[in-house]
Amino acid sequence: MKIIKYLKEFSLSQKILCLIMAVFGCVFYTTFIANHYYFRTYAFDYAVYNFTFWDFAHFHSSIIPCYHVFMNTGMTFLQNHFTFIFIYLIPVYWMLNWLTGSYTLMIIQVTLILWSAWNLYKLIRLKTNDDWLAVISVLYYFLLQGHYSSFTADCNICTMAFCLVTPFLFYFESKKYVASSILLVLLFFAREDISLYFIFIFSTLIAWHWKEKKIVRYCIAGMLSSIICFILTFKVFIPMCETSDAHYVLFQYSALGKNPLEAFLYIINHPINTFKLLYTNPLPDHTIDGVKMEFYMVYFISGGFLLLLRPQYFIWFIPLIAQKMFNDSPIRWSILWYYGDPVTTMLPISVFLITSVFKIKWIRYSIAALVCALALYITWYKADIHNRALVWGDTVKENIFDPKFFHPDYNAAKIHADLKLIPPDAKICASESILPHLSQRKYPYEFPDVEDAEYIAVFTFKNNYMMSDSAYSKTVNKYINNPSWKIIANDPPFLLMKKDE
């Protein structure tokens, strides 16, 4: 009753904001949780994340078991990504994980997305003194295509880290410098490349406040801190985590150089070639020639065209775009997975602060409505796999309105019941979509890396993207016909086998 009484005191715009947050919160929670329940999450990255979350919560930094075969080495999570984000979340593990299990990280991620949206509302209202414009900015935020493509990637530290950027900006603009400084430090260690982004974020903040000397000094201090942190991360912290057989492998910019310093020197010495890499395909496969341009068009049509009115907002997009387009992997150039999440964070701030410069209200709100309509159209249009420049799987995970979303070709409830036959401390080998449910333990392996597993849980259809159909089926049959393994649950296409003692 107190909540209802409290809501009655809200203005109409605030009630609309609550409705928007509630509707999209339900959509996001449902989509993430249902994808996991229906075995549509992946060993890479969600099983790895769940293992690491469990491992850190027990104050270890162990070698990730499911990396053994496919990466040909033992590797801890910090050797793959220099991030403390799971360390930050240890208290949440002990508060929730007993109840929510392998769903915990997804619940955390959606909660952070909602928190980012709430802080977007507060930031736009603070900067524009326009409550309705702030509400519409939240709607726009939720309509952007990148949020839905990120469903495909399950949970990701990039998504979670960028959810902290909007709160940082709100606290900074509110002159709450202690809170913003704490968030800044957390962000620096949330992902190894975040400090690079903040060099450009502080540059944009200087453009906002260039007449306010005190704030400019804070921004310069922030830029220097970002530069120092970036250098320390790649020159000190990452090398400290490396071993002779486990090196940091996520600097994948061979067109620029082997490390950040080589890349920086190449950009300085070859500016024309560097610029061309932003929109051309350097690979021999011409079927992917349009992938980069598709990304630009999606976000240009979705409201990015307004940046032409205030070019200063291009500044904080420079590292976001460069990191995408200079990468060796075409999927990183694309609109797929979580690779648009940094843009979905920064674009609503830019678009609605630019929109606020129009003093005539009907023009301002018409532009706000237009960019929302365009964002919705682009998201709907790109939900069809045939309308994408790069095809990677299907789009069921992104769309709860797809007829197959709640109706997979197997009985998920029976499979979950079968998985309960596995003791929580047993050594387990599971196929790609099953392993994320079983990875919060000391020894989770991905099939066919059986190692010393006591149980094997697999789908009989191909469920390992690194194997061919025939190789996968042959390996499954090998264990079915092995007298050392006994089938204890058979709910096609799922099999659970136990090793005879």
Side-chain angles (χ1 to χ4, degrees):
M1 294 298 294
K2 286 184 178 180
I3 295 175
I4 295 174
K5 183 179 179 181
Y6 183 64
L7 287 174
K8 286 181 179 179
E9 296 175 358
F10 281 12
S11 65
L12 178 60
S13 61
Q14 290 171 327
K15 291 176 182 177
I16 297 296
L17 173 66
C18 291
L19 179 62
I20 292 170
M21 295 281 286
V23 169
F24 285 97
C26 288
V27 170
F28 280 39
Y29 280 118
T30 301
T31 303
F32 277 112
I33 291 171
N35 276 328
H36 191 44
Y37 178 80
Y38 288 116
F39 299 97
R40 289 192 289 259
T41 50
Y42 303 131
F44 300 132
D45 292 324
Y46 199 50
V48 172
Y49 278 23
N50 265 310
F51 171 80
T52 303
F53 191 34
W54 172 87
D55 195 45
F56 282 6
H58 289 82
F59 305 103
H60 302 141
S61 181
S62 305
I63 290 173
I64 300 170
C66 60
Y67 274 172
H68 283 175
V69 169
F70 299 114
M71 300 194 73
N72 298 313
T73 183
M75 177 179 283
T76 68
F77 193 78
L78 289 177
Q79 291 170 329
N80 183 45
H81 263 301
F82 187 76
T83 172
F84 291 173
I85 204 159
F86 294 125
I87 297 174
Y88 303 160
L89 296 174
I90 287 174
V92 184
Y93 174 92
W94 291 110
M95 285 189 291
L96 291 182
N97 205 77
W98 63 275
L99 176 65
T100 52
S102 59
Y103 296 86
T104 307
L105 282 174
M106 289 187 166
I107 292 169
I108 291 171
Q109 178 165 296
V110 176
T111 304
L112 286 172
I113 290 170
L114 295 175
W115 190 45
S116 178
W118 171 243
N119 279 277
L120 171 66
Y121 164 77
K122 294 192 292 182
L123 176 64
I124 299 300
R125 186 178 62 174
L126 175 70
K127 297 287 289 181
T128 66
N129 200 30
D130 188 328
D131 202 53
W132 277 108
L133 194 67
V135 171
I136 300 171
S137 73
V138 173
L139 176 62
Y140 175 75
Y141 172 83
F142 285 124
L143 291 175
L144 287 171
Q145 189 273 339
H147 283 299
Y148 301 89
S149 63
S150 69
F151 291 147
T152 308
D154 307 326
C155 181
N156 195 271
I157 58 172
C158 177
T159 304
M160 291 190 283
F162 264 87
C163 287
L164 302 180
V165 173
T166 312
F168 163 81
L169 290 171
F170 169 70
Y171 287 124
F172 186 89
E173 290 300 301
S174 302
K175 296 182 171 58
K176 297 177 180 178
Y177 296 121
V178 173
S180 63
S181 297
I182 291 171
L183 275 172
L184 183 63
V185 173
L186 292 175
L187 275 158
F188 280 167
F189 295 99
R191 192 176 141 115
E192 63 270 17
D193 52 2
I194 289 287
S195 52
L196 175 63
Y197 298 142
F198 267 90
I199 299 170
F200 295 85
I201 289 173
F202 279 115
S203 298
T204 304
L205 292 175
I206 289 174
W208 287 5
H209 299 285
W210 64 276
K211 290 184 178 180
E212 302 169 75
K213 292 183 179 180
K214 183 178 179 181
I215 297 178
V216 169
R217 285 197 295 269
Y218 285 148
C219 291
I220 292 172
M223 288 180 67
L224 292 174
S225 300
S226 302
I227 293 168
I228 292 168
C229 186
F230 184 74
I231 294 171
L232 287 174
T233 297
F234 281 90
K235 284 294 185 180
V236 179
F237 302 143
I238 288 177
M240 283 173 60
C241 295
E242 292 179 318
T243 61
S244 58
D245 59 347
H247 296 279
Y248 179 75
V249 296
L250 291 179
F251 187 85
Q252 299 168 343
Y253 302 90
S254 59
L256 301 180
K258 296 178 181 179
N259 55 57
L261 178 59
E262 286 189 15
F264 176 74
L265 294 174
Y266 183 91
I267 292 169
I268 297 298
N269 294 323
H270 304 89
I272 295 176
N273 290 341
T274 299
F275 183 75
K276 287 181 179 179
L277 282 174
L278 291 173
Y279 61 89
T280 59
N281 167 24
L283 303 177
D285 182 2
H286 293 293
T287 63
I288 56 174
D289 283 352
V291 172
K292 291 183 179 181
M293 292 309 299
E294 178 190 42
F295 173 82
Y296 292 128
M297 290 306 299
V298 162
Y299 287 101
F300 183 81
I301 294 172
S302 297
F305 61 87
L306 288 173
L307 271 63
L308 298 174
L309 300 178
R310 289 292 186 275
Q312 70 204 52
Y313 287 99
F314 282 110
I315 297 172
W316 60 21
F317 286 100
I318 291 173
L320 310 183
I321 300 303
Q323 187 183 43
K324 281 181 66 67
M325 300 311 179
F326 293 155
N327 198 275
D328 297 337
S329 173
I331 194 171
R332 294 179 185 271
W333 313 339
S334 74
I335 60 170
L336 306 184
W337 287 41
Y338 62 88
Y339 299 115
D341 281 348
V343 176
T344 59
T345 297
M346 308 310 295
L347 191 61
I349 301 169
S350 307
V351 165
F352 279 80
L353 289 181
I354 293 170
T355 301
S356 70
V357 304
F358 294 94
K359 301 302 180 185
I360 302 175
K361 280 191 174 182
W362 73 265
I363 295 178
R364 188 190 316 160
Y365 294 147
S366 296
I367 293 172
L370 174 64
V371 294
C372 286
L374 290 171
L376 175 61
Y377 171 74
I378 288 294
T379 298
W380 170 81
Y381 182 74
K382 290 299 179 179
D384 186 338
I385 196 171
H386 300 100
N387 296 330
R388 297 183 174 183
L390 186 66
V391 176
W392 190 282
D394 58 37
T395 58
V396 173
K397 291 180 70 173
E398 303 174 28
N399 184 6
I400 62 172
F401 301 107
D402 190 303
K404 295 181 180 179
F405 188 85
F406 293 106
H407 302 284
D409 297 328
Y410 43 80
N411 190 324
K414 282 188 176 181
I415 297 172
H416 282 290
D418 293 338
L419 293 178
K420 291 179 181 178
L421 298 173
I422 304 171
D425 57 348
K427 298 176 182 178
I428 178 71
C429 176
S431 59
E432 183 175 74
S433 299
I434 299 170
L435 190 62
H437 293 268
L438 302 168
S439 52
Q440 290 189 345
R441 63 186 66 222
K442 192 172 183 179
Y443 298 106
Y445 307 112
E446 184 180 3
F447 188 81
D449 180 23
V450 175
E451 298 282 340
D452 56 349
E454 301 162 294
Y455 291 83
I456 296 177
V458 293
F459 281 122
T460 52
F461 59 79
K462 180 192 170 185
N463 196 219
N464 185 312
Y465 80 96
M466 296 184 183
M467 299 179 71
S468 66
D469 289 359
S470 59
Y472 184 85
S473 297
K474 183 178 179 180
T475 308
V476 171
N477 288 329
K478 181 181 78 171
Y479 286 97
I480 292 174
N481 298 318
N482 188 329
S484 298
W485 290 90
K486 179 183 178 181
I487 296 175
I488 61 172
N490 184 4
D491 285 305
F494 173 78
L495 284 175
L496 177 60
M497 294 177 274
K498 181 180 179 181
K499 191 168 187 177
D500 275 348
E501 296 179 0

